Amino acid sequence: CLTATGHPTTAPLDLRCGPEYAQFDANRGEWTQVVVDGDTWGTLCGDGTDYAFYLRLAPEGEPLDKLVIGLQGGGVCVFEEDCSAKLASSPTLFNAQDEIFYGTGVMSDDPDTSPFANWTKLYLPYCTQDVHIGGGVIEDLGSIQLPRYGALNARASIQMVRDLIWKKMDADGGNGFRPDQVQALFGGW
């Protein structure tokens, strides 16, 4: 994708990124839940449902390329006993679409609460119990088969948001999208 910012014509390359690849739209200043197509992106939650994330583009007049990325916490399960217990007691921990996100703390839209109130915000729910590092395997834990797709879910979400920001910034004119000028704060809680 950096190639596309440095070369005006990338026709001979099969790039799957950039403004023409943006797969969804979102209004500025509003939280939007985006469900990721697992067949397209290779994403999956622990209960077999499609992954979903929340995005709030910076309000009008604010730069889109100042970005806060928040990873939801929630522990980890490793063995059959602890994963089975978590699945039985808290099945919502394995489904990102059921996550209800309220912009709080650093993700708050209130400037009195967060210095990042007017930044673009990406919230990545945690539905794989793999510390957001799973590489796309279904782990056999005996009585359960647990998809471990955390890293793929995060990567797809960030790429999708990048393409949307790219599209909107290019449409706004000016210098357009420049990945070398994106400011980002990345963290988990």
Side-chain angles (χ1 to χ4, degrees):
C1 290
L2 289 175
T3 302
T5 63
H7 298 279
T9 304
T10 59
L13 303 174
D14 184 24
L15 299 179
R16 294 193 176 176
C17 60
E20 65 280 347
Y21 201 65
Q23 297 185 353
F24 70 99
D25 200 7
N27 295 323
R28 291 183 71 141
E30 297 176 19
W31 283 100
T32 302
Q33 183 188 51
V34 178
V35 178
V36 181
D37 180 5
D39 292 334
T40 300
W41 290 94
T43 54
L44 191 64
C45 278
D47 66 355
T49 58
D50 283 333
Y51 186 68
F53 62 87
Y54 283 87
L55 174 69
R56 179 186 171 269
L57 293 172
E60 288 294 336
E62 299 293 335
L64 288 170
D65 57 351
K66 289 185 172 185
L67 179 65
V68 177
I69 302 171
L71 298 167
Q72 179 186 27
V76 64
C77 70
V78 179
F79 304 107
E80 179 180 9
E81 303 79 38
D82 61 329
C83 290
S84 294
K86 250 187 190 183
L87 191 55
S89 67
S90 304
T92 58
L93 293 176
F94 297 87
N95 184 313
Q97 292 182 43
D98 291 343
E99 174 68 21
I100 298 174
F101 176 70
Y102 304 99
T104 60
V106 73
M107 298 295 262
S108 173
D109 301 335
D110 180 358
D112 291 333
T113 303
S114 172
F116 311 105
N118 292 320
W119 285 34
T120 295
K121 298 181 191 105
L122 171 60
Y123 178 72
L124 303 175
Y126 182 50
C127 67
T128 53
Q129 303 304 305
D130 63 4
V131 200
H132 296 281
I133 62 171
V137 299
I138 297 181
E139 189 172 6
D140 183 357
L141 296 174
S143 65
I144 60 173
Q145 310 297 306
L146 186 57
R148 302 294 197 165
Y149 282 66
L152 298 179
N153 294 342
R155 185 178 318 125
S157 301
I158 292 168
Q159 288 173 342
M160 290 175 70
V161 169
R162 176 209 53 215
D163 292 341
L164 178 64
I165 290 172
W166 193 339
K167 177 180 179 179
K168 288 191 175 283
M169 287 182 71
D170 282 1
D172 287 346
N175 292 334
F177 178 75
R178 295 286 316 230
D180 59 331
Q181 294 179 6
V182 172
Q183 296 178 38
L185 172 66
F186 193 86
W189 56 88

